[in-house]
């Protein structure tokens, strides 16, 4: 991996000759508080195609231009064209997309046996990627309120993309961190969502046993030009302080955390979420996490304004490996309502009821789910004392 360096005139594009890629330094994307977009990001009231007219933020422009160039240069496992997309009939509003190539071409998952499995440098990891796959290093200025020292976050292409702009956020790859969520990684993911002016740029995390295919700490980020059910689904508070909510709506119940922007509120949210994921990891409970712009907790609706950032956490059954023959595998985006479908036949025949059955098959038994809920409520309460 090339060595990151600063540059007064940063270029995020690769030189035309592939022989020069190894020598090119990784550019830095440095951002400050003024670039975190807190207000005014909404879905167009009419056609989603109007998203193309939304002014891109600097983050969007850099990520998309660098990502597009890597696609044109053939650094992905397949060329991602416009994906066939449909909203499944029914009250949930599943967004299904046909992505045959990802089902066939993606890297086989590693042999994972435990949610808290140690990093193995002999297995594939993000220090072994090809030159040119890293787009930039994400760095924030120290002017952000409540800011703490940030890990180096490398933003690199996912060579088997789900959708346009699909990237991985990898904190300090040379440290060899296992796939266990850390505050610096979550903070970077939330701030990446706030750096984008696109309402459909989302970030997520799969634990080991939650369909993470590589045991090297990383988050996913990608664009999807469609609303998802979790953005405005109603919730009820679980603790007196209103810091933890239960998202009860379909497709799956989850724990909802919310922040209206950077500063102490965001830092407190990061701490709460990571205490919850630490508990789940330590007790061998697989989990998935999704970060999206969304409505505040409470009695909301699918069309509610996107006034802040929702972080949704799902505890689920462990699944070590990929189930063959299913229309989709259940991980972070499926729990949020985005279904990448593997075959044309399944894409043409999948119903909302069948999708819900696949998802609910991955959920914990009610008694265990209630026990976890009570424990997380206690954890949050102790944190507030």
């Amino acid at each position: 991996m090339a060595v990151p360096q600063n540059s007064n005139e940063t270029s995020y594009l690769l030189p035309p000759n592939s022989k020069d890629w190894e020598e090119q330094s990784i550019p830095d994307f440095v951002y400050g508080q003024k670039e975190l977009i807190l207000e005014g990001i909404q879905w167009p009231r009419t056609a989603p195609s109007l998203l193309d007219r939304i002014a891109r933020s600097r983050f969007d422009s850099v990520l998309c231009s660098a990502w597009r160039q890597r696609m044109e240069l053939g650094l992905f496992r397949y060329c991602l064209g416009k994906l066939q997309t449909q909203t499944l009939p029914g009250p949930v509003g599943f967004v299904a997309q046909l992505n045959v190539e990802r089902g066939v071409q993606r890297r086989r998952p590693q042999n994972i046996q435990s949610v808290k499995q140690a990093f193995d440098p002999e297995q594939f990891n993000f220090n072994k990627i090809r030159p040119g796959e890293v787009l930039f290093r994400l760095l924030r200025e120290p002017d952000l309120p409540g800011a703490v020292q940030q890990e180096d976050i490398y933003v690199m292409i996912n060579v088997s993309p789900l959708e346009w702009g699909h990237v991985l956020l990898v904190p300090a790859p040379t440290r060899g961190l296992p796939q266990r969520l850390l505050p610096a990684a979550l903070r970077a993911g939330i701030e990446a969502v706030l750096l984008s002016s696109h309402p459909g740029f989302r970030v997520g995390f799969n634990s080991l046993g939650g369909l993470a295919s590589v045991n090297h700490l990383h988050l996913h980020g990608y664009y999807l030009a469609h609303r998802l059910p979790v953005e405005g689904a109603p919730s009820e508070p679980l603790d007196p302080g209103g810091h933890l909510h239960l998202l009860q709506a379909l497709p799956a119940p989850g724990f909802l955390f919310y922040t209206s922007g950077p500063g102490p509120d965001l830092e407190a949210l990061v701490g709460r979420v990571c205490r919850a994921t630490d508990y789940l990891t330590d007790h061998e409970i697989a989990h998935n996490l999704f970060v999206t712009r969304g409505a505040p907790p409470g009695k909301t609706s699918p069309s509610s304004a996107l006034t802040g950032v929702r972080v949704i956490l799902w505890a689920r059954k462990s699944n070590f490996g990929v189930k063959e023959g299913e229309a989709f595998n259940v991980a972070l985006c499926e729990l949020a309502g985005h279904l990448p479908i593997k075959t044309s036949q399944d894409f043409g025949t999948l119903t909302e009821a069948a999708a819900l059955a696949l998802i609910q098959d991955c959920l914990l038994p009610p008694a265990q789910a209630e026990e976890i809920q009570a424990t997380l409520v206690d954890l949050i309460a102790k944190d507030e004392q």
Side-chain angles (χ1 to χ4, degrees), residues 6-324:
N6 290 314
S7 171
N8 291 330
E9 295 184 5
T10 303
S11 173
Y12 300 94
L13 302 181
L14 293 172
N17 191 336
S18 61
K19 294 179 181 178
D20 298 328
W21 296 354
E22 186 73 56
E23 303 303 320
Q24 169 144 319
S25 62
I26 297 172
D28 290 340
F29 183 95
V30 183
Y31 65 95
Q33 183 184 3
K34 64 182 182 300
E35 290 192 77
L36 300 180
I37 307 169
L38 308 180
E39 299 176 347
I41 306 300
Q42 301 298 334
W43 290 102
R45 295 194 177 188
T46 54
S49 60
L50 293 177
L51 283 170
D52 295 336
R53 302 179 188 176
I54 293 176
R56 285 182 175 179
S57 68
R58 185 171 70 98
F59 174 81
D60 294 322
S61 296
V62 167
L63 189 155
C64 291
S65 62
W67 196 92
R68 183 194 302 274
Q69 188 213 29
R70 271 58 167 192
M71 179 65 73
E72 293 169 347
L73 291 170
L75 286 173
F76 292 79
R77 291 187 169 220
Y78 48 87
C79 183
L80 186 77
K82 185 174 178 60
L83 296 175
Q84 193 174 347
T85 304
Q86 63 177 335
T87 301
L88 297 186
V92 175
F94 281 118
V95 177
Q97 289 189 309
L98 180 60
N99 194 335
V100 176
E101 293 284 1
R102 179 172 168 85
V104 173
Q105 303 272 7
R106 68 175 301 189
R107 181 180 289 107
R108 296 296 301 171
Q110 293 175 358
N111 182 23
I112 305 296
Q113 302 295 330
S114 167
V115 177
K116 51 185 178 182
Q117 189 162 309
F119 175 80
D120 181 356
E122 298 303 314
Q123 296 284 332
F124 171 80
N125 62 74
F126 300 116
N127 295 310
K128 299 183 178 184
I129 62 175
R130 296 171 297 170
E133 291 186 24
V134 179
L135 304 182
F136 51 85
R137 188 174 65 155
L138 192 62
L139 298 173
R140 60 176 182 166
E141 297 173 350
D143 67 340
L144 289 169
V148 297
Q149 186 173 359
Q150 179 68 294
E151 294 270 14
D152 292 346
I153 306 292
Y154 287 70
V155 178
M156 53 188 72
I157 62 172
N158 186 322
V159 296
S160 301
L162 279 169
E163 244 289 9
W164 180 258
H166 189 175
V167 293
L168 303 175
L169 282 66
V170 182
T174 57
R175 289 182 58 192
L177 299 168
Q179 184 67 351
R180 178 178 183 137
L181 189 63
L182 294 178
L186 177 57
R187 186 183 302 109
I190 294 172
E191 290 183 352
V193 168
L194 290 171
L195 283 169
S196 175
S197 60
H198 192 299
F201 182 75
R202 281 83 171 215
V203 166
F205 172 85
N206 296 321
S207 79
L208 301 179
L211 259 62
S213 59
V214 177
N215 185 16
H216 192 183
L217 181 55
H218 64 285
L219 283 73
H220 294 263
Y222 71 102
Y223 295 89
L224 179 69
H226 297 271
R227 282 184 177 272
L228 290 176
V230 295
E231 294 173 21
S235 63
E236 62 178 37
L238 293 175
D239 70 306
H243 301 303
L244 179 65
H245 286 72
L246 181 64
L247 200 68
Q248 293 182 302
L250 297 172
F255 298 107
L256 171 63
F257 304 80
Y258 176 84
T259 180
S260 57
D265 184 54
L266 189 152
E267 292 300 322
L269 176 145
V270 167
R272 293 183 193 108
V273 173
C274 288
R275 276 186 285 282
T277 56
D278 279 347
Y279 170 81
L280 296 176
T281 303
D282 290 341
H283 290 79
E284 287 286 347
I285 301 167
H287 47 281
N288 305 97
L289 180 140
F290 197 76
V291 182
T292 182
R293 289 187 185 268
K299 295 181 179 180
T300 54
S301 71
S303 60
S304 294
L306 311 180
T307 55
V309 174
R310 285 185 162 201
V311 179
I312 305 107
L313 173 66
W314 294 275
R316 45 88 56 83
K317 293 177 185 174
S318 293
N319 183 350
F320 297 111
V322 173
K323 288 184 179 180
E324 302 295 344

